[in-house]
Amino acid sequence: MARCRNVDDFRLLAKRRLPAPIFHYIDGAADDEITYRRNTEAFATCDLVPNVLAGVETVDMSVTVMGKKLDLPLFLSPTALQRLFHHDGERAVARAAEKFSTFFGVSSLGTVSVEEIGKTIQTPKMFQLYFHKDRELTWSMVERCREAKFDAIALTVDTITGGNRERDLRTGFTSPPKLTLSSLASFAMKPRWTWNHLTKEKFSLPQLDGHVSQGTNIAISVGEYFSTMLDQSMSWKDAEQVRERWGGHFCLKGVMSVEDAKRAVDIGATAIMISNHAGRQLDGSRAPFDQISEIADAVGGQIEIICDGGIRRGTHVLKAMAAGATACSGGHLYLYALAAGGQLGVEKTLSNLKAEIERDMKLMGLTKLDQLNSGHLRFR
Protein backbone atom coordinates (compact mmCIF):
# COMPACT_ATOMS: atom_id res chain seq x y z
CA MET A 1 0.00 0.00 0.00
CA ALA A 2 2.94 2.33 0.62
CA ARG A 3 3.70 2.06 -3.10
CA CYS A 4 0.20 3.26 -4.06
CA ARG A 5 0.94 6.77 -5.28
CA ASN A 6 -2.32 7.51 -7.07
CA VAL A 7 -5.91 6.37 -7.48
CA ASP A 8 -5.05 3.94 -10.28
CA ASP A 9 -2.50 2.18 -8.05
CA PHE A 10 -5.20 1.66 -5.42
CA ARG A 11 -7.56 0.38 -8.11
CA LEU A 12 -5.10 -2.37 -9.05
CA LEU A 13 -4.59 -3.34 -5.41
CA ALA A 14 -8.36 -3.42 -4.82
CA LYS A 15 -8.74 -5.71 -7.82
CA ARG A 16 -6.23 -8.12 -6.25
CA ARG A 17 -8.04 -8.16 -2.90
CA LEU A 18 -11.74 -8.27 -3.83
CA PRO A 19 -13.82 -11.09 -5.32
CA ALA A 20 -14.68 -10.26 -8.92
CA PRO A 21 -18.39 -9.44 -8.35
CA ILE A 22 -17.50 -6.96 -5.59
CA PHE A 23 -14.66 -5.31 -7.53
CA HIS A 24 -16.71 -4.95 -10.69
CA TYR A 25 -19.57 -3.41 -8.72
CA ILE A 26 -17.19 -0.61 -7.69
CA ASP A 27 -15.42 -0.43 -11.03
CA GLY A 28 -18.35 -0.77 -13.43
CA ALA A 29 -20.89 1.56 -14.93
CA ALA A 30 -23.85 1.60 -17.31
CA ASP A 31 -24.07 0.25 -20.87
CA ASP A 32 -20.76 0.78 -22.71
CA GLU A 33 -19.29 2.77 -19.79
CA ILE A 34 -18.56 5.72 -22.10
CA THR A 35 -19.67 8.31 -19.55
CA TYR A 36 -17.71 6.61 -16.77
CA ARG A 37 -14.49 6.97 -18.77
CA ARG A 38 -15.41 10.44 -19.97
CA ASN A 39 -15.75 11.73 -16.41
CA THR A 40 -11.97 11.64 -16.00
CA GLU A 41 -11.00 12.13 -19.64
CA ALA A 42 -12.86 15.45 -19.68
CA PHE A 43 -10.16 17.05 -17.55
CA ALA A 44 -7.66 16.47 -20.36
CA THR A 45 -9.64 18.70 -22.73
CA CYS A 46 -8.18 21.83 -21.15
CA ASP A 47 -4.83 23.07 -19.89
CA LEU A 48 -3.82 25.04 -16.82
CA VAL A 49 -2.10 28.41 -17.25
CA PRO A 50 0.22 29.09 -14.28
CA ASN A 51 1.60 32.31 -12.91
CA VAL A 52 5.07 32.62 -11.37
CA LEU A 53 6.96 34.70 -8.79
CA ALA A 54 3.89 34.66 -6.55
CA GLY A 55 5.48 33.91 -3.16
CA VAL A 56 3.90 30.53 -2.51
CA GLU A 57 5.83 29.28 0.52
CA THR A 58 2.54 28.93 2.39
CA VAL A 59 -0.75 27.97 0.73
CA ASP A 60 -4.28 27.74 2.09
CA MET A 61 -6.25 24.75 0.75
CA SER A 62 -9.39 25.40 2.82
CA VAL A 63 -12.89 25.97 1.46
CA THR A 64 -16.31 26.48 3.02
CA VAL A 65 -19.00 24.02 1.94
CA MET A 66 -22.55 24.02 3.31
CA GLY A 67 -21.57 26.13 6.28
CA LYS A 68 -18.49 24.10 7.23
CA LYS A 69 -14.87 25.08 6.75
CA LEU A 70 -12.94 22.16 5.27
CA ASP A 71 -9.16 21.81 5.25
CA LEU A 72 -9.35 20.30 1.76
CA PRO A 73 -11.35 21.35 -1.33
CA LEU A 74 -12.19 17.67 -1.78
CA PHE A 75 -14.61 15.53 0.21
CA LEU A 76 -15.77 11.92 0.28
CA SER A 77 -19.09 11.42 -1.49
CA PRO A 78 -21.69 9.14 0.09
CA THR A 79 -21.55 5.65 -1.42
CA ALA A 80 -23.55 2.51 -0.71
CA LEU A 81 -22.61 -0.92 0.69
CA GLN A 82 -19.18 0.04 2.03
CA ARG A 83 -18.76 -2.95 4.37
CA LEU A 84 -18.80 -5.18 1.29
CA PHE A 85 -15.53 -3.56 0.22
CA HIS A 86 -13.85 -3.67 3.65
CA HIS A 87 -15.27 -4.95 6.92
CA ASP A 88 -14.85 -1.53 8.60
CA GLY A 89 -16.78 0.23 5.82
CA GLU A 90 -18.05 3.70 6.70
CA ARG A 91 -16.25 3.62 10.03
CA ALA A 92 -12.90 3.55 8.26
CA VAL A 93 -13.87 6.23 5.75
CA ALA A 94 -15.33 8.52 8.42
CA ARG A 95 -12.23 8.30 10.60
CA ALA A 96 -10.02 9.12 7.62
CA ALA A 97 -12.19 12.10 6.68
CA GLU A 98 -12.05 13.29 10.29
CA LYS A 99 -8.26 13.12 10.24
CA PHE A 100 -8.18 15.37 7.16
CA SER A 101 -11.01 17.65 8.36
CA THR A 102 -13.26 17.23 5.37
CA PHE A 103 -16.88 16.26 4.68
CA PHE A 104 -17.89 12.61 4.80
CA GLY A 105 -21.10 11.20 3.34
CA VAL A 106 -23.36 8.35 4.50
CA SER A 107 -25.75 6.70 2.04
CA SER A 108 -29.35 5.62 2.54
CA LEU A 109 -27.88 2.22 1.58
CA GLY A 110 -25.01 2.65 4.04
CA THR A 111 -23.84 -0.22 6.21
CA VAL A 112 -23.27 1.73 9.45
CA SER A 113 -26.09 3.61 11.15
CA VAL A 114 -26.32 7.40 11.16
CA GLU A 115 -26.67 7.18 14.94
CA GLU A 116 -23.27 5.52 15.33
CA ILE A 117 -21.60 7.94 12.92
CA GLY A 118 -23.20 10.89 14.68
CA LYS A 119 -21.91 9.77 18.09
CA THR A 120 -18.37 8.84 17.05
CA ILE A 121 -17.37 11.21 14.24
CA GLN A 122 -16.84 14.95 14.61
CA THR A 123 -15.96 15.85 11.02
CA PRO A 124 -18.77 17.45 8.94
CA LYS A 125 -21.32 14.82 7.91
CA MET A 126 -23.65 14.61 4.93
CA PHE A 127 -26.49 12.13 4.49
CA GLN A 128 -27.43 11.03 0.99
CA LEU A 129 -31.19 10.49 0.77
CA TYR A 130 -32.95 8.18 -1.67
CA PHE A 131 -36.61 9.13 -2.05
CA HIS A 132 -38.44 5.85 -1.44
CA LYS A 133 -41.99 4.87 -2.31
CA ASP A 134 -42.31 4.16 1.40
CA ARG A 135 -42.71 7.75 2.63
CA GLU A 136 -42.49 6.64 6.24
CA LEU A 137 -39.00 5.30 5.51
CA THR A 138 -37.96 8.50 3.71
CA TRP A 139 -39.11 10.79 6.50
CA SER A 140 -37.70 8.51 9.20
CA MET A 141 -34.24 8.85 7.65
CA VAL A 142 -34.57 12.64 7.60
CA GLU A 143 -35.56 12.65 11.27
CA ARG A 144 -32.79 10.24 12.27
CA CYS A 145 -30.23 12.51 10.59
CA ARG A 146 -31.55 15.50 12.49
CA GLU A 147 -31.29 13.63 15.79
CA ALA A 148 -27.78 12.41 14.89
CA LYS A 149 -26.79 16.05 14.21
CA PHE A 150 -25.78 15.61 10.60
CA ASP A 151 -24.75 18.83 8.90
CA ALA A 152 -26.41 18.42 5.49
CA ILE A 153 -28.71 16.22 3.44
CA ALA A 154 -28.11 15.52 -0.25
CA LEU A 155 -31.16 14.28 -2.14
CA THR A 156 -30.07 12.07 -5.04
CA VAL A 157 -32.16 12.99 -8.09
CA ASP A 158 -30.64 10.88 -10.89
CA THR A 159 -31.77 7.40 -9.78
CA ILE A 160 -35.38 7.55 -10.92
CA THR A 161 -34.74 4.07 -12.31
CA GLY A 162 -31.74 1.76 -12.27
CA GLY A 163 -29.01 2.10 -14.88
CA ASN A 164 -28.09 -0.83 -17.12
CA ARG A 165 -25.04 -2.05 -15.20
CA GLU A 166 -24.03 -4.96 -17.38
CA ARG A 167 -20.97 -5.94 -15.35
CA ASP A 168 -23.26 -6.60 -12.37
CA LEU A 169 -25.52 -8.68 -14.57
CA ARG A 170 -22.58 -10.76 -15.79
CA THR A 171 -21.09 -11.34 -12.32
CA GLY A 172 -24.43 -11.79 -10.57
CA PHE A 173 -23.64 -9.08 -8.01
CA THR A 174 -26.34 -8.56 -5.38
CA SER A 175 -26.67 -7.06 -1.93
CA PRO A 176 -26.08 -9.08 0.14
CA PRO A 177 -23.76 -11.22 -2.01
CA LYS A 178 -25.04 -14.67 -2.88
CA LEU A 179 -22.99 -17.65 -3.91
CA THR A 180 -23.63 -19.02 -7.38
CA LEU A 181 -21.78 -21.55 -9.49
CA SER A 182 -20.17 -18.70 -11.42
CA SER A 183 -19.15 -16.66 -8.37
CA LEU A 184 -18.09 -19.45 -5.99
CA ALA A 185 -14.56 -19.69 -7.39
CA SER A 186 -14.10 -15.94 -7.20
CA PHE A 187 -15.02 -15.82 -3.50
CA ALA A 188 -12.88 -18.88 -2.76
CA MET A 189 -9.85 -17.27 -4.41
CA LYS A 190 -10.07 -14.25 -2.06
CA PRO A 191 -9.92 -16.00 1.33
CA ARG A 192 -9.10 -12.85 3.35
CA TRP A 193 -12.20 -11.04 2.10
CA THR A 194 -14.36 -14.15 2.47
CA TRP A 195 -13.14 -14.82 6.02
CA ASN A 196 -13.84 -11.25 7.09
CA HIS A 197 -17.26 -11.26 5.45
CA LEU A 198 -18.25 -14.49 7.20
CA THR A 199 -16.74 -13.81 10.63
CA LYS A 200 -17.08 -10.06 11.20
CA GLU A 201 -20.27 -8.17 12.03
CA LYS A 202 -23.23 -9.38 9.96
CA PHE A 203 -23.83 -7.31 6.85
CA SER A 204 -26.86 -5.03 7.11
CA LEU A 205 -28.33 -1.76 5.84
CA PRO A 206 -29.33 -0.09 9.13
CA GLN A 207 -30.95 2.98 7.57
CA LEU A 208 -33.60 0.62 6.14
CA ASP A 209 -34.24 -1.33 9.37
CA GLY A 210 -37.90 -1.95 10.05
CA HIS A 211 -38.97 -0.88 6.59
CA VAL A 212 -37.19 -2.81 3.81
CA SER A 213 -35.75 -6.33 3.71
CA GLN A 214 -34.39 -6.05 0.17
CA GLY A 215 -30.63 -5.57 0.22
CA THR A 216 -30.21 -7.01 3.73
CA ASN A 217 -32.21 -10.23 4.03
CA ILE A 218 -33.36 -10.48 0.43
CA ALA A 219 -30.63 -10.38 -2.21
CA ILE A 220 -31.20 -7.76 -4.89
CA SER A 221 -29.09 -5.87 -7.42
CA VAL A 222 -28.67 -2.13 -6.91
CA GLY A 223 -30.25 -1.43 -10.29
CA GLU A 224 -33.29 -3.50 -9.38
CA TYR A 225 -33.51 -1.78 -5.98
CA PHE A 226 -33.61 1.65 -7.65
CA SER A 227 -36.21 0.52 -10.17
CA THR A 228 -38.56 -1.10 -7.65
CA MET A 229 -38.07 0.65 -4.30
CA LEU A 230 -37.54 4.31 -5.23
CA ASP A 231 -40.37 6.66 -6.16
CA GLN A 232 -40.40 7.33 -9.91
CA SER A 233 -42.97 10.09 -9.43
CA MET A 234 -40.46 12.24 -7.48
CA SER A 235 -40.77 15.88 -8.56
CA TRP A 236 -39.50 19.34 -7.72
CA LYS A 237 -42.37 19.65 -5.27
CA ASP A 238 -41.07 16.57 -3.43
CA ALA A 239 -37.52 17.97 -3.38
CA GLU A 240 -38.83 21.17 -1.86
CA GLN A 241 -40.75 19.17 0.75
CA VAL A 242 -37.55 17.32 1.72
CA ARG A 243 -35.76 20.65 2.10
CA GLU A 244 -38.56 22.05 4.27
CA ARG A 245 -38.73 18.96 6.50
CA TRP A 246 -34.98 18.88 6.92
CA GLY A 247 -34.60 22.60 7.58
CA GLY A 248 -30.79 22.65 7.32
CA HIS A 249 -28.21 22.78 4.57
CA PHE A 250 -29.73 21.01 1.59
CA CYS A 251 -28.06 19.73 -1.57
CA LEU A 252 -29.32 18.16 -4.80
CA LYS A 253 -27.01 15.42 -6.05
CA GLY A 254 -27.25 14.63 -9.74
CA VAL A 255 -27.92 18.05 -11.29
CA MET A 256 -26.41 18.35 -14.78
CA SER A 257 -28.29 21.14 -16.60
CA VAL A 258 -28.48 24.91 -16.25
CA GLU A 259 -32.27 24.69 -16.10
CA ASP A 260 -32.16 22.33 -13.11
CA ALA A 261 -29.46 24.38 -11.40
CA LYS A 262 -31.71 27.44 -11.60
CA ARG A 263 -34.63 25.47 -10.14
CA ALA A 264 -32.38 24.30 -7.29
CA VAL A 265 -31.76 27.95 -6.48
CA ASP A 266 -35.50 28.63 -6.62
CA ILE A 267 -36.35 25.95 -4.04
CA GLY A 268 -33.68 27.23 -1.64
CA ALA A 269 -31.00 24.54 -1.97
CA THR A 270 -27.64 25.39 -0.44
CA ALA A 271 -25.65 23.40 -2.99
CA ILE A 272 -25.80 21.20 -6.06
CA MET A 273 -23.54 18.27 -6.84
CA ILE A 274 -22.94 18.21 -10.59
CA SER A 275 -22.91 14.46 -11.00
CA ASN A 276 -23.93 11.65 -13.35
CA HIS A 277 -23.68 8.98 -10.64
CA ALA A 278 -20.21 8.01 -11.88
CA GLY A 279 -21.63 7.03 -15.25
CA ARG A 280 -23.71 4.31 -13.61
CA GLN A 281 -27.09 5.65 -14.75
CA LEU A 282 -27.38 7.36 -18.18
CA ASP A 283 -24.51 6.33 -20.42
CA GLY A 284 -23.73 8.95 -23.04
CA SER A 285 -24.43 11.85 -20.69
CA ARG A 286 -22.01 14.72 -20.18
CA ALA A 287 -19.16 14.64 -17.70
CA PRO A 288 -19.59 16.84 -14.60
CA PHE A 289 -16.48 18.88 -15.48
CA ASP A 290 -17.93 19.65 -18.92
CA GLN A 291 -20.97 21.27 -17.30
CA ILE A 292 -19.35 23.39 -14.61
CA SER A 293 -18.64 26.53 -16.64
CA GLU A 294 -22.13 27.03 -18.04
CA ILE A 295 -23.78 26.23 -14.71
CA ALA A 296 -21.41 28.57 -12.85
CA ASP A 297 -22.16 31.32 -15.39
CA ALA A 298 -25.88 30.88 -14.70
CA VAL A 299 -26.01 30.43 -10.91
CA GLY A 300 -22.51 31.09 -9.57
CA GLY A 301 -22.70 33.08 -6.34
CA GLN A 302 -26.30 31.99 -5.75
CA ILE A 303 -25.61 28.37 -4.84
CA GLU A 304 -22.56 26.23 -4.06
CA ILE A 305 -21.40 24.04 -6.94
CA ILE A 306 -19.72 20.70 -6.24
CA CYS A 307 -17.97 18.82 -9.04
CA ASP A 308 -18.70 15.18 -8.25
CA GLY A 309 -17.13 12.56 -10.48
CA GLY A 310 -13.96 11.67 -12.32
CA ILE A 311 -11.53 13.23 -9.84
CA ARG A 312 -8.23 11.35 -9.88
CA ARG A 313 -5.59 14.09 -9.51
CA GLY A 314 -4.97 17.36 -7.70
CA THR A 315 -4.94 19.14 -11.06
CA HIS A 316 -8.49 17.90 -11.65
CA VAL A 317 -9.58 19.70 -8.50
CA LEU A 318 -7.87 22.92 -9.59
CA LYS A 319 -9.39 22.74 -13.07
CA ALA A 320 -12.88 22.22 -11.66
CA MET A 321 -12.52 25.15 -9.27
CA ALA A 322 -11.09 27.39 -12.00
CA ALA A 323 -14.18 26.56 -14.06
CA GLY A 324 -16.43 27.69 -11.19
CA ALA A 325 -16.80 24.85 -8.69
CA THR A 326 -16.88 25.60 -4.97
CA ALA A 327 -15.25 22.25 -4.18
CA CYS A 328 -15.01 18.68 -5.49
CA SER A 329 -16.06 15.26 -4.28
CA GLY A 330 -15.73 11.66 -5.36
CA GLY A 331 -16.41 8.04 -4.55
CA HIS A 332 -14.06 5.90 -6.64
CA LEU A 333 -11.05 7.85 -5.39
CA TYR A 334 -11.53 6.44 -1.89
CA LEU A 335 -13.48 3.21 -2.48
CA TYR A 336 -10.52 1.58 -4.21
CA ALA A 337 -8.35 2.63 -1.26
CA LEU A 338 -10.90 1.36 1.26
CA ALA A 339 -10.93 -2.03 -0.45
CA ALA A 340 -7.15 -2.07 -0.62
CA GLY A 341 -6.40 -1.15 2.98
CA GLY A 342 -9.32 0.03 5.09
CA GLN A 343 -8.82 3.26 7.02
CA LEU A 344 -5.08 3.38 6.29
CA GLY A 345 -5.83 3.06 2.59
CA VAL A 346 -8.30 5.97 2.64
CA GLU A 347 -5.84 8.05 4.63
CA LYS A 348 -3.10 7.28 2.12
CA THR A 349 -5.19 8.30 -0.89
CA LEU A 350 -6.26 11.51 0.86
CA SER A 351 -2.63 12.20 1.75
CA ASN A 352 -1.62 11.65 -1.87
CA LEU A 353 -4.29 14.02 -3.15
CA LYS A 354 -3.60 16.65 -0.49
CA ALA A 355 0.09 16.65 -1.44
CA GLU A 356 -0.84 16.97 -5.13
CA ILE A 357 -3.22 19.89 -4.50
CA GLU A 358 -0.62 21.72 -2.40
CA ARG A 359 2.16 21.15 -4.93
CA ASP A 360 -0.07 22.07 -7.87
CA MET A 361 -1.21 25.28 -6.18
CA LYS A 362 2.42 26.32 -5.74
CA LEU A 363 3.22 25.46 -9.34
CA MET A 364 0.19 27.52 -10.41
CA GLY A 365 1.32 30.52 -8.37
CA LEU A 366 -1.63 30.31 -5.97
CA THR A 367 -1.70 30.92 -2.24
CA LYS A 368 -5.49 30.57 -1.91
CA LEU A 369 -8.01 28.62 -3.94
CA ASP A 370 -10.29 31.64 -4.44
CA GLN A 371 -7.55 33.06 -6.68
CA LEU A 372 -8.51 30.48 -9.32
CA ASN A 373 -10.65 31.70 -12.21
CA SER A 374 -11.44 30.89 -15.82
CA GLY A 375 -8.35 32.79 -16.92
CA HIS A 376 -6.27 29.90 -15.61
CA LEU A 377 -7.86 27.53 -18.19
CA ARG A 378 -7.45 27.12 -21.91
CA PHE A 379 -9.80 24.66 -23.60
CA ARG A 380 -8.50 22.77 -26.60
Side-chain angles (χ1 to χ4, degrees), residues 10-272:
F10 275 111
R11 177 186 176 276
L12 293 175
L13 186 52
K15 187 174 184 179
R16 285 171 48 193
R17 294 191 171 178
L18 290 177
I22 309 297
F23 172 77
H24 287 295
Y25 168 73
I26 298 177
D27 196 58
D31 293 345
D32 299 312
E33 303 186 354
I34 293 169
T35 294
Y36 170 57
R37 294 189 295 273
R38 174 66 182 162
N39 283 354
T40 297
E41 292 169 356
F43 291 103
T45 63
C46 72
D47 303 318
L48 289 165
V49 181
N51 294 317
V52 295
L53 301 175
V56 292
E57 183 180 5
T58 302
V59 300
D60 181 1
M61 291 180 279
S62 66
V63 293
T64 298
V65 177
M66 287 177 276
K68 296 296 181 180
K69 185 176 180 181
L70 312 180
D71 287 353
L72 285 177
L74 178 67
F75 67 87
L76 308 182
S77 295
T79 59
L81 312 181
Q82 289 183 20
R83 283 203 293 117
L84 288 185
F85 318 138
H86 185 277
H87 56 85
D88 280 340
E90 288 87 350
R91 298 179 183 111
V93 179
R95 290 192 293 262
E98 187 171 60
K99 186 171 182 178
F100 285 82
S101 297
T102 193
F103 249 112
F104 157 71
V106 177
S107 171
S108 293
L109 303 184
T111 57
V112 175
S113 72
V114 293
E115 288 81 6
E116 179 182 333
I117 295 296
K119 290 177 182 177
T120 59
I121 299 299
Q122 300 305 310
T123 204
K125 296 172 284 293
M126 167 193 289
F127 182 74
Q128 173 268 324
L129 180 68
Y130 283 129
F131 197 77
H132 284 74
K133 292 177 181 177
D134 183 341
R135 289 291 193 279
E136 185 179 345
L137 169 59
T138 298
W139 302 135
S140 76
M141 290 191 286
V142 172
E143 184 57 34
R144 289 171 65 181
C145 288
R146 181 182 294 108
E147 293 177 358
K149 301 190 183 321
F150 270 56
D151 301 288
I153 275 184
L155 175 65
T156 292
V157 293
D158 61 1
T159 53
I160 210 71
T161 190
N164 180 33
R165 305 179 187 185
E166 291 181 355
R167 285 208 228 180
D168 290 352
L169 297 175
R170 293 189 192 102
T171 65
F173 174 83
T174 60
S175 170
K178 59 183 179 181
L179 291 179
T180 65
L181 289 176
S182 60
S183 67
L184 183 60
S186 177
F187 288 109
M189 291 171 63
K190 307 296 180 181
R192 178 191 297 180
W193 181 93
T194 302
W195 174 257
N196 285 329
H197 182 69
L198 294 175
T199 62
K200 302 291 184 182
E201 175 188 359
K202 186 178 184 295
F203 177 82
S204 68
L205 302 177
Q207 274 60 263
L208 308 183
D209 281 353
H211 295 273
V212 173
S213 296
Q214 286 84 347
T216 300
N217 298 316
I218 301 174
I220 190 172
S221 71
V222 172
E224 185 182 357
Y225 188 94
F226 288 167
S227 298
T228 59
M229 306 303 293
L230 303 189
D231 190 347
Q232 297 190 9
S233 72
M234 181 174 62
S235 66
W236 284 97
K237 183 178 179 181
D238 295 313
E240 189 167 12
Q241 187 178 14
V242 173
R243 183 196 63 76
E244 290 172 350
R245 282 200 176 225
W246 168 240
H249 290 288
F250 178 66
C251 175
L252 292 180
K253 181 178 182 291
V255 170
M256 289 291 290
S257 71
V258 169
E259 179 184 0
D260 286 346
K262 289 179 177 178
R263 296 196 72 171
V265 172
D266 291 342
I267 69 167
T270 309
I272 52 175

Side-chain angles (χ1 to χ4, degrees), residues 300-330:
Q302 302 175 66
I303 196 168
E304 294 172 8
I305 299 170
I306 313 301
C307 179
D308 179 71
I311 303 293
R312 294 291 188 273
R313 289 288 188 181
T315 50
H316 297 166
V317 174
L318 298 190
K319 287 180 178 183
M321 297 187 72
T326 308
C328 297
S329 62

Side-chain angles (χ1 to χ4, degrees), residues 291-358:
Q291 291 300 95
I292 292 174
S293 294
E294 61 185 73
I295 290 176
D297 287 345
V299 299
Q302 302 175 66
I303 196 168
E304 294 172 8
I305 299 170
I306 313 301
C307 179
D308 179 71
I311 303 293
R312 294 291 188 273
R313 289 288 188 181
T315 50
H316 297 166
V317 174
L318 298 190
K319 287 180 178 183
M321 297 187 72
T326 308
C328 297
S329 62
H332 283 96
L333 63 89
Y334 75 85
L335 287 181
Y336 293 132
L338 173 66
Q343 180 180 343
L344 292 179
V346 181
E347 289 179 6
K348 181 64 163 59
T349 203
L350 284 173
S351 179
N352 290 346
L353 287 162
K354 179 181 179 180
E356 288 187 16
I357 294 168
E358 180 177 8

